[in-house]
Amino acid sequence: MNQNVQPHSGAWVSFTYASFFAAAAMVGAGILFLPLDWWAKGYLAMGCVMLVQSCITMTKTVRDMHEASKLVNRIEDARTERLLMDVGKPAL
């Protein structure tokens, strides 16, 4: 089994955090300066917060499903390898 997983660099992680916070600040400023009543601005802000929360939840779920399938594949590989080893042994 070959596992060539490389961790993300610190620069990439910092970039993703900075991008997220910059985008959130721009959306917040855009909502704040819209020529609408406060209740409409609040509604848009709640929608944006829920959208971000849903994106995070969906991303975590997809990643968890991928990780679980990798574990199942490892278990299946181990079972196959064990079966092949048992078949290759001479009968006593």
Side-chain angles (χ1 to χ4, degrees):
M1 190 131 319
N2 188 6
Q3 296 221 353
N4 293 327
V5 178
Q6 296 178 350
H8 294 297
S9 68
W12 176 253
V13 173
S14 298
F15 173 75
T16 57
Y17 278 101
S19 296
F20 173 78
F21 289 116
M26 287 188 281
V27 168
I31 290 173
L32 183 65
F33 292 115
L34 275 174
L36 296 174
D37 293 332
W38 283 105
W39 67 267
K41 290 179 184 181
Y43 183 77
L44 289 173
M46 284 190 316
C48 286
V49 169
M50 290 292 294
L51 180 62
V52 169
Q53 184 266 333
S54 297
C55 287
I56 291 169
T57 303
M58 182 180 67
T59 304
K60 183 187 178 324
T61 302
V62 169
R63 181 172 176 91
D64 288 348
M65 288 171 40
H66 177 71
E67 292 293 324
S69 72
K70 283 174 41 179
L71 178 61
V72 168
N73 288 339
R74 277 193 236 150
I75 293 170
E76 290 298 321
D77 287 345
R79 285 182 184 162
T80 303
E81 206 170 306
R82 182 174 160 200
L83 180 63
L84 289 173
M85 286 175 57
D86 289 343
V87 168
K89 289 182 183 177
L92 296 177

